Amino acid sequence: MRKLDHKFPSVALLLVVLLISSKCINNVAGREAEDDDYEDEFDGRTDNTEMNEEKKHNSAPLATDDNGIEITYESPKYDIANFYFIDHFDDTEMSQKLWVKSQAKKDDIAEEIAKYDGIWNWEAPQRIVWKDDVGLVLKSKAKHAAIAARLMKPFTFTENKHLVVQYEVTMQEGQECGGAYIKLLSADPESEDLTMFNDKTPYTIMFGPDKCGNDIKMHFIFRHVNPINGSITEKHCRKPKERLEEPFKDKLPHLYRLVVRPDNTYEISVDHKVINIGSLLTDFTPPVNPPSTIDDPQDKKPDDWDEREKITDPTAKKPDDWDDDAPPQVPDANAAMPDGWLEDEPEMIPDPSATIPEDWDFEMDGEWEAPLVDNPICEKAPGCGTWKAPLISNPNYKGKWRAPLIKNPNYRGKWTPRKIANPDFFEDLNPYKMTPIGSVGIELWSMSNNILFDNLIITDDVNVALDYATQTFDVKRKYIEKKSDSVLNQTKAFFKESPWAWFVIAMIIVLPLTYYCFIYNNKKDGCADAKKTDAIQPDDISNADGGNGDKNPNSKKKKSDLEVKAADATETNAENEFPDDESDSKDKDLTESFEIEDGSEDKDGEESDVDAKKIGAIQPNDIRNEGGDGDSSKKKKSDVEAKAAGVIETDVLDDDTDDKDKESTESFEVGQGHKGGEEDTTKPRKRRVRKDES
């Protein structure tokens, strides 16, 4: 029972954890099974017409709102007049008519990878939120993929409207190297044929996330047209302060929004959180407007222009006692070679045990030489080989002499070329007025597949974009947060539904603490107190009156029979050695007994366990009294049978002791049962018992 006491709290804790975990796992597994059944049903649909027809009659249950009303999915409702482009991809038949897959090839690249042969498909997310929510998915990886669609009406940058671009991306397999950005293609003759859409197709704005390794970007690039010569340069937005890692790892939908205002300011947000704001005039590289002046390329520094602020003192001279060649360290002149130094012995010698390898080719490998090993003769000597005195710091060392520095009287400062007016200078105070947008395209090369695009819109009203997000992205993320398949959320739900579990947890914590503080420590302290003395502390001491060893009226010493409970004693085998040479094989039939001698005088009249300990004899914890037999000798003998096989036997001193020695000595006596021996069996034979380790 003692061994099981400290295990009970652990076993109880384990059982409760298993109970709670199984409940959570069953909840998760049950819903996963429902999701799997639903996915199988959804994947089994191959006819888009049939799927779209079923949408009208069936809606997947989503969640419940604050009033407990079940939310069902419907494609977002909108006024098409508020949008320049909109596609929620749910109506796959109509969406496939909008988008055109590119058949172009990249220039200046190997033929086998130049073609835009990435695979696009309309399908539901892998982690289904609504069965009717469909997105545009890039299915392939390590391939060039491009697809584009025309705007319902071109977007022109006028002074009274914003440009608002918003779309969702779900990197369902994560992302290590690749992007999920979109391009707003310029309304240009080169962009008319969308089947030839490639990386060289003119665009007005490129926007979206991109990552390769540890380089994470949120692109906002616009192509600015020089008002003087018509040249086009790309202007790159500065990086946001926050590092965006989660969208590339968590495999959840994320909402990206770009707002460009007529006052030349911009705002970038991810999941409604603004991560970057700034101005088109000041926060782009290179800047929109070039400097008004530039360095004169014809100006050259004069030959006599002295830029040295300090020079060496021409009047300084090196002291006569200055030695440039003095070494920093010199041999110690007072050092002497240690006695026993073996100058004639080398430190390394060829290994005498080395042999020429069997595959050694003298013509190819040359002459063979044994590898060098430490000279064994030098191991006991102070050293071998040529003795050299140790090095010490050179007191005459000063280093290389250099003249001190002084101010240069001819110093004229740092030379810079003169400034001239920039012939290419222009000042565009309204870079917001960019090239009109005619199409939207996605042109990617990614090392991850299953990148899902959804709910792509272009509008000129931020409130319209926010309202559209509340019908799509916001509800979707709310559903995912509420119905997350994580064990943590399931555990929270379990504890919310089962308040009694908190009581169980509290008991599991309180019970072990109570056990440790009040029970275990008390037992431990008791054992520690018992070990403070060399005397053996028996677990149980039988009542002396209950045994056969009664008090001897003629003796001043009390006798008590100890009962041995040797459950925790070390198991050993006692090997008996008898000094009598006449003992034969019959000695094996002898019965061993431990006899405690009494009869010695004690001034206090009481027997002490400590006295027995003085001779080094091990006292058994418990000796169970089986009954004592009286004989004709002056001493009473009690035969005690050791029940435990682990009683430790130690050497008993076999010296001739007098009556006083018997006060502190226990002797082990063996009664011999020879049938026909001449030896007097009335006297106990003393024998030496040596400790035997099992």
Side-chain angles (χ1 to χ4, degrees), residues 261-328:
R261 305 182 182 94
D263 61 356
N264 299 310
T265 61
Y266 69 91
E267 178 182 287
I268 299 174
S269 62
V270 178
D271 300 340
H272 299 297
K273 178 182 179 182
V274 177
I275 63 168
N276 197 355
I277 57 175
S279 171
L280 301 178
L281 292 168
T282 59
D283 295 306
F284 281 77
T285 304
V288 171
N289 296 314
S292 60
T293 60
I294 59 173
D295 295 337
D296 185 0
Q298 304 299 326
D299 191 16
K300 295 182 180 180
K301 184 174 69 171
D303 295 337
D304 60 346
W305 192 281
D306 196 345
E307 292 183 336
R308 296 175 301 167
E309 186 174 355
K310 290 186 177 183
I311 60 172
T312 58
D313 186 359
T315 63
K317 293 183 179 180
K318 183 175 70 173
D320 296 336
D321 60 346
W322 193 287
D323 185 4
D324 287 344
D325 299 327

Side-chain angles (χ1 to χ4, degrees), residues 208-276:
D210 190 13
K211 175 188 177 183
C212 196
N214 291 325
D215 187 13
I216 299 176
K217 299 178 181 179
M218 176 56 67
H219 288 300
F220 173 26
I221 305 171
F222 73 93
R223 286 161 45 104
H224 182 262
V225 180
N226 189 319
I228 296 177
N229 54 26
S231 61
I232 297 176
T233 55
E234 292 183 350
K235 310 299 181 180
H236 294 255
C237 174
R238 62 175 171 82
K239 286 187 176 182
K241 295 181 179 179
E242 296 184 11
R243 183 177 174 86
L244 302 175
E245 293 186 359
E246 291 302 319
F248 299 95
K249 299 189 302 184
D250 59 12
K251 303 179 182 180
L252 297 176
H254 291 276
L255 183 70
Y256 300 91
R257 182 187 305 119
L258 169 66
V259 179
V260 185
R261 305 182 182 94
D263 61 356
N264 299 310
T265 61
Y266 69 91
E267 178 182 287
I268 299 174
S269 62
V270 178
D271 300 340
H272 299 297
K273 178 182 179 182
V274 177
I275 63 168
N276 197 355

Side-chain angles (χ1 to χ4, degrees), residues 414-425:
K414 296 294 182 182
W415 181 87
T416 56
R418 63 175 176 265
K419 297 292 184 179
I420 62 173
N422 185 0
D424 298 324
F425 172 73

Side-chain angles (χ1 to χ4, degrees), residues 538-558:
D539 291 338
D540 297 304
I541 301 177
S542 303
N543 188 357
D545 296 338
N548 294 332
D550 297 335
K551 295 181 180 179
N552 188 356
N554 297 327
S555 175
K556 296 179 180 181
K557 194 166 63 171
K558 295 180 181 181

Side-chain angles (χ1 to χ4, degrees), residues 241-469:
K241 295 181 179 179
E242 296 184 11
R243 183 177 174 86
L244 302 175
E245 293 186 359
E246 291 302 319
F248 299 95
K249 299 189 302 184
D250 59 12
K251 303 179 182 180
L252 297 176
H254 291 276
L255 183 70
Y256 300 91
R257 182 187 305 119
L258 169 66
V259 179
V260 185
R261 305 182 182 94
D263 61 356
N264 299 310
T265 61
Y266 69 91
E267 178 182 287
I268 299 174
S269 62
V270 178
D271 300 340
H272 299 297
K273 178 182 179 182
V274 177
I275 63 168
N276 197 355
I277 57 175
S279 171
L280 301 178
L281 292 168
T282 59
D283 295 306
F284 281 77
T285 304
V288 171
N289 296 314
S292 60
T293 60
I294 59 173
D295 295 337
D296 185 0
Q298 304 299 326
D299 191 16
K300 295 182 180 180
K301 184 174 69 171
D303 295 337
D304 60 346
W305 192 281
D306 196 345
E307 292 183 336
R308 296 175 301 167
E309 186 174 355
K310 290 186 177 183
I311 60 172
T312 58
D313 186 359
T315 63
K317 293 183 179 180
K318 183 175 70 173
D320 296 336
D321 60 346
W322 193 287
D323 185 4
D324 287 344
D325 299 327
Q329 290 183 325
V330 294
D332 187 0
N334 298 324
M337 184 174 67
D339 296 338
W341 190 280
L342 305 178
E343 290 189 284
D344 297 333
E345 290 290 340
E347 295 182 4
M348 305 290 290
I349 61 172
D351 187 358
S353 62
T355 58
I356 301 176
E358 296 180 357
D359 59 348
W360 188 272
D361 189 342
F362 287 94
E363 294 182 359
M364 298 293 295
D365 302 328
E367 189 69 23
W368 180 83
E369 294 181 359
L372 298 178
V373 296
D374 294 334
N375 191 344
I377 300 177
C378 301
E379 293 181 358
K380 297 182 179 180
C384 294
T386 303
W387 179 83
K388 294 180 180 180
L391 298 178
I392 60 175
S393 299
N394 185 0
N396 298 322
Y397 173 73
K398 297 182 179 180
K400 194 75 173 177
W401 182 85
R402 292 181 176 84
L405 297 177
I406 61 173
K407 290 184 178 181
N408 183 5
N410 299 321
Y411 175 68
R412 300 175 62 181
K414 296 294 182 182
W415 181 87
T416 56
R418 63 175 176 265
K419 297 292 184 179
I420 62 173
N422 185 0
D424 298 324
F425 172 73
F426 63 86
E427 189 175 24
D428 185 358
L429 298 180
N430 197 6
Y432 167 79
K433 292 185 177 180
M434 306 177 192
T435 306
I437 302 170
S439 304
V440 58
I442 306 173
E443 189 260 327
L444 302 174
W445 186 91
S446 174
M447 289 303 298
S448 300
N449 58 349
N450 290 317
I451 301 175
L452 184 144
F453 295 82
D454 202 0
N455 296 312
L456 197 158
I457 63 172
I458 299 175
T459 182
D460 56 12
D461 191 340
V462 177
N463 292 327
V464 171
L466 292 173
D467 180 69
Y468 190 84

